[in-house]
Amino acid sequence: MLPVTKIEEICRRWGLLIIVVVTCLIYANTLDNEFVLDDNAYIQDNYLLRDLRNLPLFFNVPADALVEDLAPGLLRGRNVRWVTYAVDFALGGGAPWMFHLSNLLWHAATGIVLFFLFRRWLLSSRTALLGALLFIAHPIQTNAVAYISGRKDILAAFFLCAALLAVYRYRQTHNYWWFPAILGLFFLAGFSKESAVVFPVLLVLADWCLMKNSAAIAAAQRCITLYWREYLWCFFLVTLYLWWRLGATLAPKMAAVFGTSAPVLANHLASPALADGNLSYANLQLFYLSKLLWPTRLLADYKGVFDFSLYPASYGTVASGIFVIVLVACLIAIRQRAPLITLGLGWIIIALLPVSHLVDFHYPVAEHYLYLPCVGFALSVGSVAELRWRGDRLWSLLLVGLVLCFALATVQRNLVWQNMETITLDILRKAPHHQRARNSLVDVYAKQGKYPAALEQALISLAENPRSAVNNYNLGFLYENLKDYQQAKSYYRRAIMLHPRLWSAYLNLGNLLLEQGDERAGLAVIRDLNSRYGYHPLSYFVTGTHRARQKRWSAALAEFERGLSLDADAGLLKLGVAVALWSLDREPAQVSRLFAEARAAKALETVDTAQPPWDAFFSQQEFRTVMESGKDYQ
């Protein structure tokens, strides 16, 4: 075996290259993966990503804007992620591989930053490298790296850890120009993901844990005396960020909780988020710790699974209070003997605070929430190895073996994220009653044209939840494609009864009735839809299509154009206008433009081009050539 000094020199000189190579080897099999889950809405359907000139729009969204008031593709917050997506789109033409490659490279960059950070804390290049590799290879990271929409966690962790390095660099040089760098890096982290607000607390924790030869209280006092400037600056940045990012929405909530009467505060403290609605703080922390220590039975989607036997019941808020007290006491007790283990465990706890349901939070559990806390896990394991390494090299082999095992498990886990079918089948294998996953599988099979298989899954889903509007709608859609129109109409009507604002059920039912010649009933359904939504753009696609079937192309054009005036980005309406203009032998240049835009918006995938009124248009040789070549019609 090489001497320790030689290993240290190799790790110091080649550590960065090793991190990049290992990351590429582990995540190379994600490059062929498709867009999944939120990727479709955030990337494929986000038209603003397709032109870099739209980038300023992502930084000019009002904090109190409602999603339904935003232009298609314009999403609030996490602006840095949208910028990186737009760059990926420009470089790769919207192909998934470019986005996956970008995730891989950002993950490697985070590992490199951690290598420098761990080396500063551990004073050893070899242990720092193994800690960084442990972070890179951990199977829990698949949910952030193989899932393109998980990039927000990677970006936030990268910029937050880089901001910590900038603080340390200031302490070395006493150059005040590092303060703007800290500001920039923190705001890049914060506008990647809101959980970056823990940055100053992590800095204080690191200083307190690493303050030598001091008891807990004395160490805290010395930290304040030595580093008050950095603390003041960092907490000021967090305050500024919260005011900027959350001011418009946070102020009313704070006023409601603290600015009124005691019963209001009592009601807030008794809210499901703080009690047993999802998980108590203790249960949640233990769940996450278990996934870091033993990353098995991982799921792409945990929403709704807490009603099943995968997880224990909530321990309650009283037990959570006791849990916190015991946890803090343990950290204080081991601080002087094992400061880096204390820092690692404390890092996990603090990094999880934003997603611990201590305040109202929309989602129960997600593995990509553990991306930043995994830094603490890697540091804890690395520090244990460093303590033992001094007298026993067996620990180095054990840590290398752990990295290798994690890497192999991650490579295998990446395969689950290939497409929606592999994801949903994996979820249903581990949580057979997962409604969202089964509905996703129905959608996957329907898109593949496997309607009998989709129907089988939809019937299982309906049996589990017969009062679900989505389950009934899915059956209506499947029976319509299987030509059982009576069943289709029955399930569409039941879906509308269960959810009177389920617009897709109205559209499908109205269109089906019109196709069957029941004009009166079909138009009544569309009027009912418009009475509930004001005017729904796609309702004009249905009525326009009906007029087109009757060869009333002028009336059809008027319907399509009216809908397009309500939603200028609707691909189906653009297709309708293009076909109507072509049928009226008018404006070939506009036909070419609208057809190209409709094809780019994947509108051609949602209509049956072999059926009226589209068949005459698509049967023309010139348009078959257009579809095969990908060129625009001239």
Side-chain angles (χ1 to χ4, degrees):
M1 182 179 290
L2 292 172
V4 172
T5 53
K6 185 65 174 178
I7 295 174
E8 183 75 13
E9 176 63 20
I10 292 172
C11 293
R12 184 188 64 80
R13 179 172 296 183
W14 299 102
L16 304 187
L17 179 61
I18 292 171
I19 289 171
V20 173
V21 170
V22 169
T23 307
C24 291
L25 290 174
I26 293 174
Y27 285 99
N29 65 341
T30 65
L31 298 180
D32 291 331
N33 290 2
E34 301 174 7
F35 292 122
V36 295
L37 301 173
D38 288 343
D39 297 345
N40 297 296
Y42 289 174
I43 299 170
Q44 276 196 302
D45 299 334
N46 192 338
Y47 298 107
L48 293 180
L49 295 179
R50 301 181 183 185
D51 191 338
L52 290 176
R53 289 173 294 184
N54 291 327
L55 287 182
L57 295 175
F58 291 111
F59 292 91
N60 191 31
V61 185
D64 58 347
L66 300 175
V67 173
E68 54 266 29
D69 296 330
L70 300 177
L74 189 60
L75 302 173
R76 290 177 299 174
R78 301 175 180 177
N79 315 73
V80 177
R81 176 172 64 170
W82 307 125
V83 172
T84 64
Y85 284 168
V87 173
D88 291 347
F89 205 103
L91 293 175
W97 70 266
M98 185 66 231
F99 294 87
H100 285 295
L101 177 62
S102 187
N103 268 28
L104 183 157
L105 294 176
W106 280 110
H107 187 47
T110 306
I112 289 171
V113 171
L114 288 180
F115 173 69
F116 289 117
L117 200 58
F118 287 172
R119 191 167 67 180
R120 180 176 294 276
W121 289 338
L122 293 164
L123 303 178
S124 166
S125 293
R126 64 186 186 280
T127 316
L129 177 59
L130 283 171
L133 292 177
L134 188 67
F135 171 85
I136 290 290
H138 201 295
I140 206 74
Q141 308 293 44
T142 304
N143 197 292
V145 185
Y147 180 29
I148 299 170
S149 294
R151 186 181 302 177
K152 56 188 179 293
D153 295 274
I154 305 176
L155 294 170
F158 170 78
F159 289 118
L160 185 149
C161 293
L164 281 176
L165 284 176
V167 172
Y168 293 135
R169 187 61 180 164
Y170 160 74
R171 291 176 181 175
Q172 279 184 327
T173 63
H174 298 287
N175 187 336
Y176 285 96
W177 283 106
W178 281 102
F179 279 91
I182 298 168
L183 181 149
L185 290 168
F186 169 73
F187 270 82
L188 286 171
F191 284 96
S192 296
K193 191 176 182 182
E194 299 80 5
S195 57
V197 294
V198 299
F199 164 60
V201 185
L202 292 174
L203 174 62
V204 173
L205 173 71
D207 290 338
W208 176 72
C209 290
L210 300 176
M211 186 62 67
K212 296 181 179 180
N213 303 321
S214 299
I217 296 176
Q221 292 173 338
R222 287 191 64 191
C223 287
I224 294 172
T225 301
L226 292 173
Y227 306 129
W228 65 271
R229 290 181 183 84
E230 298 98 287
Y231 297 161
L232 188 63
W233 178 243
C234 293
F235 279 102
F236 167 74
L237 293 182
V238 169
T239 304
L240 182 63
Y241 168 78
L242 290 174
W243 174 79
W244 188 358
R245 177 71 180 85
L246 304 174
T249 55
L250 190 64
K253 293 181 180 179
M254 296 297 288
V257 174
F258 299 106
T260 55
S261 59
V264 173
L265 179 59
N267 289 335
H268 177 75
L269 293 175
S271 67
L274 287 173
D276 299 330
N278 289 307
L279 291 171
S280 70
Y281 176 75
N283 202 31
L284 196 64
Q285 289 279 350
L286 291 173
F287 169 80
Y288 279 132
L289 285 171
S290 70
K291 291 302 178 186
L292 286 172
L293 290 168
W294 193 252
T296 58
R297 294 187 66 80
L298 303 179
L299 284 179
D301 182 8
Y302 287 90
K303 194 166 188 178
V305 301
F306 292 101
D307 295 329
F308 305 109
S309 59
L310 284 174
Y311 309 101
S314 174
Y315 301 141
T317 51
V318 174
S320 289
I322 297 172
F323 173 80
V324 170
I325 293 171
V326 172
L327 203 59
V328 172
C330 290
L331 292 179
I332 293 173
I334 67 173
R335 174 189 159 272
Q336 283 190 293
R337 286 192 173 186
L340 289 170
I341 295 177
T342 306
L343 174 55
L345 294 175
W347 183 291
I348 295 172
I349 295 164
I350 291 170
L352 283 172
L353 284 177
V355 292
S356 293
H357 295 280
L358 299 177
V359 295
D360 292 341
F361 192 60
H362 73 287
Y363 203 84
V365 162
E367 289 163 13
H368 59 81
Y369 296 164
L370 280 168
Y371 191 85
L372 181 60
C374 194
V375 174
F377 172 78
L379 177 63
S380 298
V381 175
S383 60
V384 170
E386 181 64 19
L387 287 172
R388 297 294 305 176
W389 234 336
R390 296 167 187 170
D392 188 355
R393 290 188 179 179
L394 176 63
W395 279 91
S396 64
L397 297 176
L398 290 175
L399 189 54
V400 171
L402 181 61
V403 170
L404 182 60
C405 289
F406 275 178
L408 294 174
T410 300
V411 170
Q412 184 66 30
R413 181 65 185 164
N414 291 341
L415 299 176
V416 170
W417 288 86
Q418 284 182 330
N419 52 54
M420 282 304 302
E421 184 174 1
T422 55
I423 287 175
T424 51
L425 289 174
D426 179 74
I427 295 172
L428 291 171
R429 182 171 59 84
K430 298 169 183 174
H433 302 289
H434 199 292
Q435 279 278 299
R436 294 210 318 176
R438 197 166 299 280
N439 287 337
S440 295
L441 190 59
V442 170
D443 183 60
V444 167
Y445 285 155
K447 288 179 177 177
Q448 294 174 350
K450 301 177 181 177
Y451 293 114
L455 181 63
E456 179 184 355
Q457 296 298 323
L459 289 170
I460 294 173
S461 193
L462 185 71
E464 293 176 348
N465 187 2
R467 295 193 59 78
S468 165
V470 173
N471 290 345
N472 283 275
Y473 168 80
N474 285 343
L475 281 167
F477 175 81
L478 294 171
Y479 278 120
E480 180 180 358
N481 282 276
L482 290 168
K483 312 302 182 185
D484 189 343
Y485 298 122
Q486 286 303 115
Q487 286 276 44
K489 288 185 284 188
S490 173
Y491 280 110
Y492 282 143
R493 289 191 173 104
R494 181 167 175 79
I496 291 171
M497 181 188 70
L498 292 169
H499 187 354
R501 289 181 63 84
L502 188 61
W503 60 266
S504 53
Y506 287 94
L507 290 175
N508 285 21
L509 176 59
N511 188 60
L512 179 57
L513 290 168
L514 291 172
E515 279 184 342
Q516 294 189 312
D518 194 347
E519 184 172 0
R520 183 178 178 181
L523 292 177
V525 170
I526 298 302
R527 283 196 299 271
D528 192 12
L529 168 65
N530 286 332
S531 69
R532 295 178 184 277
Y533 277 88
Y535 289 99
H536 196 288
L538 289 180
S539 69
Y540 293 105
F541 177 76
V542 173
T543 54
T545 301
H546 176 59
R547 300 304 179 202
R549 289 194 202 102
Q550 298 173 330
K551 306 299 182 182
R552 297 169 58 188
W553 286 106
S554 294
L557 178 61
E559 294 288 313
F560 292 140
E561 287 181 333
R562 191 173 180 185
L564 201 59
S565 69
L566 297 174
D567 184 358
D569 294 308
L572 283 172
L573 289 166
K574 290 180 179 180
L575 177 63
V577 172
V579 174
L581 287 172
W582 176 83
S583 300
L584 293 168
D585 197 21
R586 288 161 49 184
E587 304 182 46
Q590 189 176 359
V591 172
S592 174
R593 177 179 59 82
L594 290 170
F595 179 71
E597 292 176 1
R599 190 180 64 226
K602 302 186 183 301
L604 275 62
E605 298 176 4
T606 58
V607 297
D608 188 348
T609 58
Q611 297 295 325
W614 319 109
D615 53 344
F617 178 81
F618 285 99
S619 64
Q620 299 296 313
Q621 179 61 42
E622 54 193 322
F623 288 105
R624 287 203 300 271
T625 303
V626 164
M627 287 184 288
E628 291 170 3
S629 66
K631 297 178 181 178
D632 292 346
Y633 162 67
Q634 295 295 334

